[in-house]
Amino acid sequence: QVQLVESGGGSAQAGGSLRLSCVASVYTSGNCMGWFRQTPGKEREGVGRIYVATGSTNYADSVKGRFDISQDIGKRTMYLQMNSLKPEDTAVYYCAAVRVRKYADCLNFRWIDFADWGHGTQVTVSS
């Protein structure tokens, strides 16, 4: 099991930026790491994910061009740089990990397929 700890959440004005970090107890090339978010009464939704082995990333349409996922393997950390924030980005943000065999699995897995989760960090964007 992988322990994940998110940090960096907080408040921002619309148009502003925040950077979230996710430190993993184990960060291996066979993992797919993802960022997800959830608001009360709604299902958890994918924000983006990174295939650790290659650094390939994929994003939800709602954040494409505004959010960027990166990683520092030596620090066992994944980042989510959020720019041009909108009030609708307000949510609890979670990082998650799952072991995969190939990049296609990383793209196709739903949030329920991810095995390990952090506790989440609140992001609030005001207009």
Side-chain angles (χ1 to χ4, degrees), residues 24 53 56 68 76:
S56 299
D68 180 68
R76 292 179 280 109

Side-chain angles (χ1 to χ4, degrees), residues 5-122:
V5 179
E6 304 98 335
S7 62
S11 298
Q13 296 275 340
S17 299
L18 286 171
R19 189 175 84 152
L20 306 184
S21 300
C22 172
V23 179
S25 60
V26 179
Y27 203 93
T28 66
S29 61
N31 275 5
C32 175
M33 303 289 294
W35 285 102
F36 298 83
R37 65 187 183 186
Q38 190 169 21
T39 54
K42 291 189 176 181
E43 186 176 4
R44 194 165 294 189
E45 66 170 347
V47 174
R49 53 199 70 190
I50 186 166
Y51 183 44
V52 174
T54 63
S56 299
T57 55
N58 181 264
Y59 301 92
D61 287 342
S62 59
V63 306
K64 205 171 288 185
R66 300 189 298 123
F67 290 10
D68 180 68
I69 295 174
S70 61
Q71 61 183 1
D72 186 328
I73 295 174
K75 294 183 178 180
R76 292 179 280 109
T77 301
M78 173 179 63
Y79 302 98
L80 178 65
Q81 178 66 44
M82 302 185 293
N83 300 322
S84 302
L85 283 163
K86 303 176 180 180
E88 51 262 44
D89 294 320
T90 295
V92 177
Y93 283 71
Y94 299 89
C95 69
V98 64
R99 188 132 182 108
V100 297
R101 292 195 294 176
K102 54 188 185 295
Y103 180 50
D105 292 338
C106 187
L107 291 181
N108 295 329
F109 276 16
R110 301 161 299 166
W111 71 266
I112 60 174
D113 296 315
F114 279 71
D116 301 297
W117 291 84
H119 292 296
T121 185
Q122 177 71 45

